[in-house]
Amino acid sequence: MSTSQPDRELVVDGLSIRFGGLTAVESMSFHVAKGEILSLIGPNGAGKTSAFNAITGYIEPNGGTIAYRGIRLNGLKPSQIAAHGVVRTFQKTSVFMGQTAFDNVLLGLHLASRQRPLAIIFALPSVAREEKELAEEARRILAFVGLEARGALLASSLPYGELRLLEVAIALAAKPRLLLLDEPVSGMNPSETASFMQILARIRALDITVLLVEHDMKMVMGVSDRVICLNQGRIIADGPPAAIQSDREVIRAYLGERYTRAQD
Amino acid sequence: MKQGLTIAWLLFLASVPLWLNNLYVLHVLIMAGIFIIAAMSLNLLLGYTGQLSLGHVAFFGIGAYASSLASLGFAVHLLPDWQVSVDPKPVWFSMLCGTLIAGLCGWAIGRLSFKVRGAYFVIVTVSFAEVIRLVALNWVELTQGPMALNNIPYLRLGIPGLFELSFLRKPANYYLVLAVGVICYVVIRRLVHSRAGRAMIALRENEPLAASVGVDVTRYLVLATIVSAGMAGAAGALYAHYVRIVDPDVFLFIYTVTMVIMVVTGGKGTLAGPIVGGAIFGLLPETLRALEAPPEVQWVTYGVLMVLVVYFLPDGIVPALRNWWHGRSAVAAAPAPEQASTEAAR
């Protein structure tokens, strides 16, 4: 399925996730096209983060397949999936708190680095050369998200909005081709959200496909090419932002049965 | 300036046997040095990957026993009618064997730790050390059990007929321990300032995030355990050929605890931490004895000092000193932030 249509970067087919008796995701099928920004929306508990976790290998799905550029991701470890270019951020702010912002990005550059243990122990010149390049790259990435002045500060001393930017910087350091952002602007104020949308536009200019989970509808409708709405583990709508906004099922999921009847 | 300080320290340490003519003090320094090497190896695991190995003395003891047995030669019946015998090997080769065998055991424990983390890892390592101790105590044919391995040969290096260095006397052993210590320090320093060390720090700080940027958690845990166990084994081999008698008591739990105390008080996850902690808690008991303090006062002092350090400097002595120093220099002149961060990354 994925090999026949080359513009389909990620194909999720019949994905099911159950936690004991609770069905988090029920035979969900969707795809992410190359270069697009696709948003997953839905009320709390709709299964958005569970789908994220399954795609990036943090939980084993109970059924269905996930394929990225024709490569089956089911059963791979998160680190292997990252090596294929599928990199995520986390819903709860997740950085290396005890390290400086600069070192955070340097830790994220793991996949960009090629040093072997023996080369490190014997301090081959290639290692020193690469370390220089990595430091340069880390500074570039920090500047990309606008944190160039924060490099020397401990992550734990950064304000919340900057922590969320640092998260994105760490993910970008892993050289993603498909970036999964899990509620990146939750808790940000409107001006921070606006500048985050600009960063998202620049990420897209780097030819990185983005899969976004977000509750901030202004942001979702502003940046997405396509929106998928989930409710109780199922896809209830899939289309461009404008169509989603007027979709009866979506309105019912968010606002309830009585609201849709009142509208009629 | 920092490099100059390191060289000055090294020169000072190298000069000690030249002006110190008290052999007992030199012996105390050698033993502290061996323990510092073991503590440095533990620091790689505890300080950088964040895994507490409470059986670290097992690797030390395995190194000591493997090196002694290879240098003495042995013959054991693995089955009633199948005898394996090994002829005595040169000591340098035996020490290498001790290091490698300890590293191999580290690999096995590291593979296990893939499944078990945290408290479970602690239990696995404690049990491992205890099982190894019981083997050393009861496999009399191989280890002589409580009768101990005696007359272990000392290290000789050289070209036959030309020259020979023999490591029988204390000054020679002091330099040997110093050299191995420096090598271990350099290896650890290079590791932690590289991709491998950053991967270890990443999985200590935030394992899910580390995995999400492509860090293969198992791989780096295993690497850390192999290097750490190998170094502990080298320290054990140094011990065996210096003291020249090895009994199952090298596996006592108290030695692991001593190493952990050295690492934690000095500052885990810092290069100098285990050296500072090891120097203080390795030399303190002997210093108190030299001051002719009664035994109970010695141990109370040891315990109280340890509690004070842990209570007032929870991150350890080295990080506390570093913060104090940075605080002072920050008042003197605000450093360029970018430069400071690259230096921290080096």
Side-chain angles (χ1 to χ4, degrees):
Chain A
M1 189 172 166
S2 60
T3 43
S4 58
Q5 275 156 308
D7 66 319
R8 297 192 160 191
E9 186 132 293
L10 180 81
V11 177
V12 175
D13 191 23
L15 182 70
S16 293
I17 301 164
R18 281 184 288 277
F19 300 112
L22 178 79
T23 302
V25 171
E26 177 75 46
S27 56
M28 179 194 287
S29 299
F30 68 94
H31 71 271
V32 187
K34 193 170 175 349
E36 78 174 340
I37 296 183
L38 172 64
S39 291
L40 283 181
I41 63 167
N44 285 328
K48 308 178 296 288
T49 296
S50 296
F52 254 44
N53 286 340
I55 293 168
T56 48
Y58 284 81
I59 53 176
E60 184 72 29
N62 299 82
T65 60
I66 301 155
Y68 175 71
R69 298 192 175 193
I71 304 157
R72 206 178 137 98
L73 297 187
N74 300 54
L76 294 186
K77 287 192 288 187
S79 59
Q80 293 169 315
I81 292 172
H84 282 302
V86 180
V87 181
R88 69 171 297 176
T89 64
F90 295 83
Q91 184 174 3
K92 238 180 86 186
T93 316
S94 186
V95 299
F96 303 111
M97 278 295 179
Q99 308 288 311
T100 63
F102 177 83
D103 285 344
N104 265 273
V105 181
L106 211 53
L107 296 184
L109 281 167
H110 184 77
L111 285 172
S113 160
R114 288 274 153 267
Q115 305 156 12
R116 317 280 307 167
L118 280 181
I120 294 165
I121 288 172
F122 291 108
L124 300 186
S126 62
V127 174
R129 217 177 310 129
E130 197 190 65
E131 285 294 300
K132 244 194 190 125
E133 289 165 13
L134 291 175
E136 202 48 52
E137 179 70 12
R139 268 190 286 276
R140 249 203 314 276
I141 294 171
L142 272 182
F144 183 86
V145 298
L147 291 179
E148 62 273 33
R150 297 283 188 259
L153 294 182
L154 279 183
S156 51
S157 69
L158 292 179
Y160 180 78
E162 294 186 348
L163 276 184
R164 306 239 59 172
L165 292 178
L166 185 58
E167 278 189 284
V168 175
I170 294 169
L172 286 175
K175 299 276 164 288
R177 289 186 296 178
L178 172 62
L179 180 62
L180 293 87
L181 298 171
D182 199 347
E183 300 193 21
V185 302
S186 74
M188 282 192 184
N189 64 38
S191 79
E192 286 171 330
T193 304
S195 65
F196 190 86
M197 283 166 73
Q198 284 169 9
I199 291 172
L200 205 52
R202 275 187 284 146
I203 289 173
R204 177 182 210 172
L206 296 175
D207 261 344
I208 297 172
T209 308
V210 177
L211 179 57
L212 180 72
V213 162
E214 189 47 67
H215 279 301
D216 185 321
M217 284 307 141
K218 218 168 133 195
M219 159 140 169
V220 167
M221 297 307 166
V223 300
S224 311
D225 298 304
R226 200 152 60 87
V227 178
I228 289 176
C229 182
L230 301 180
N231 191 23
Q232 295 177 349
R234 292 167 191 278
I235 294 176
I236 56 171
D238 178 349
I244 294 292
Q245 275 171 309
S246 55
D247 188 284
R248 266 185 80 97
E249 282 289 319
V250 175
I251 294 167
R252 181 176 299 147
Y254 271 95
L255 300 172
E257 183 67 38
R258 287 166 64 184
Y259 184 83
T260 43
R261 258 187 281 140
Q263 264 195 327
D264 292 337
Chain B
M1 193 218 100
K2 207 170 175 185
Q3 204 158 21
L5 202 67
T6 313
I7 290 170
W9 257 109
L10 264 180
L11 284 177
F12 168 73
L13 287 176
S15 76
V16 167
L18 302 178
W19 48 263
L20 184 80
N21 44 23
N22 184 334
L23 285 182
Y24 175 69
V25 175
L26 202 56
H27 165 77
V28 170
L29 288 176
I30 292 169
M31 294 305 287
I34 290 172
F35 260 96
I36 286 174
I37 294 173
M40 286 196 307
S41 75
L42 177 67
N43 184 38
L44 186 64
L45 210 53
L46 172 60
Y48 287 95
T49 70
Q51 296 294 315
L52 175 58
S53 154
L54 270 190
H56 209 64
V57 77
F59 303 122
F60 180 88
I62 287 168
Y65 263 98
S67 184
S68 313
L69 285 170
S71 64
L72 289 168
F74 59 89
V76 285
H77 290 85
L78 290 182
L79 291 172
D81 50 356
W82 180 38
Q83 197 193 33
V84 174
S85 62
V86 170
D87 294 329
K89 299 278 187 293
V91 173
W92 64 267
F93 181 79
S94 310
M95 293 176 86
L96 221 55
C97 286
T99 307
L100 290 178
I101 290 172
L104 205 67
C105 294
W107 172 81
I109 292 291
R111 294 299 306 186
L112 264 178
S113 71
F114 162 57
K115 290 280 176 206
V116 292
R117 292 287 167 73
Y120 305 98
F121 183 73
V122 174
I123 293 169
V124 167
T125 51
V126 170
S127 321
F128 174 69
E130 193 57 17
V131 167
I132 297 284
R133 187 182 74 85
L134 289 174
V135 169
L137 194 58
N138 292 301
W139 195 357
V140 176
E141 194 184 13
L142 179 70
T143 65
Q144 311 292 318
M147 281 90 79
L149 290 170
N150 293 309
N151 283 325
I152 299 167
Y154 53 88
L155 177 65
R156 292 168 209 228
L157 288 177
I159 303 163
L162 273 176
F163 74 100
E164 194 180 66
L165 288 171
S166 76
F167 292 85
L168 172 64
R169 289 160 46 76
K170 290 193 169 54
N173 271 290
Y174 176 86
Y175 284 117
L176 182 65
V177 170
L178 183 61
V180 174
V182 169
I183 292 171
C184 290
Y185 178 84
V186 169
V187 167
I188 291 176
R189 185 195 154 99
R190 284 177 180 170
L191 268 182
V192 301
H193 288 156
S194 73
R195 175 186 199 230
R198 283 194 296 269
M200 292 171 197
I201 294 169
L203 75 91
R204 174 193 74 196
E205 294 253 319
N206 189 337
E207 196 177 315
L209 181 60
S212 83
V213 293
V215 176
D216 185 341
V217 175
T218 321
R219 189 182 141 85
Y220 286 96
L221 260 183
V222 171
L223 177 69
T225 349
I226 291 175
V227 175
S228 173
M231 282 179 186
L238 284 174
Y239 170 84
H241 296 280
Y242 169 62
V243 177
R244 301 181 59 202
I245 175 167
V246 172
D247 66 9
D249 276 0
V250 296
F251 292 106
L252 283 183
F253 186 59
I254 185 69
Y255 292 125
T256 301
V257 174
T258 307
M259 290 180 214
V260 173
I261 290 172
M262 288 173 173
V263 173
V264 171
T265 55
K268 59 184 200 293
T270 62
L271 285 168
I275 302 175
V276 172
I280 294 174
F281 287 95
L283 299 178
L284 185 68
E286 300 297 340
T287 314
L288 291 173
R289 195 177 304 169
L291 294 175
E292 289 179 18
E296 58 274 17
V297 174
Q298 291 174 24
W299 290 111
V300 168
T301 312
Y302 187 96
V304 167
L305 187 65
M306 193 175 77
V307 170
L308 287 179
V309 169
V310 172
Y311 191 80
F312 288 105
L313 311 170
D315 290 332
I317 296 166
V318 170
L321 282 178
R322 189 187 287 157
N323 285 344
W324 173 77
W325 179 257
H326 279 313
R328 255 184 41 147
S329 49
V331 174
E338 205 62 1
Q339 209 169 354
S341 74
T342 24
E343 256 170 37
R346 285 281 80 79

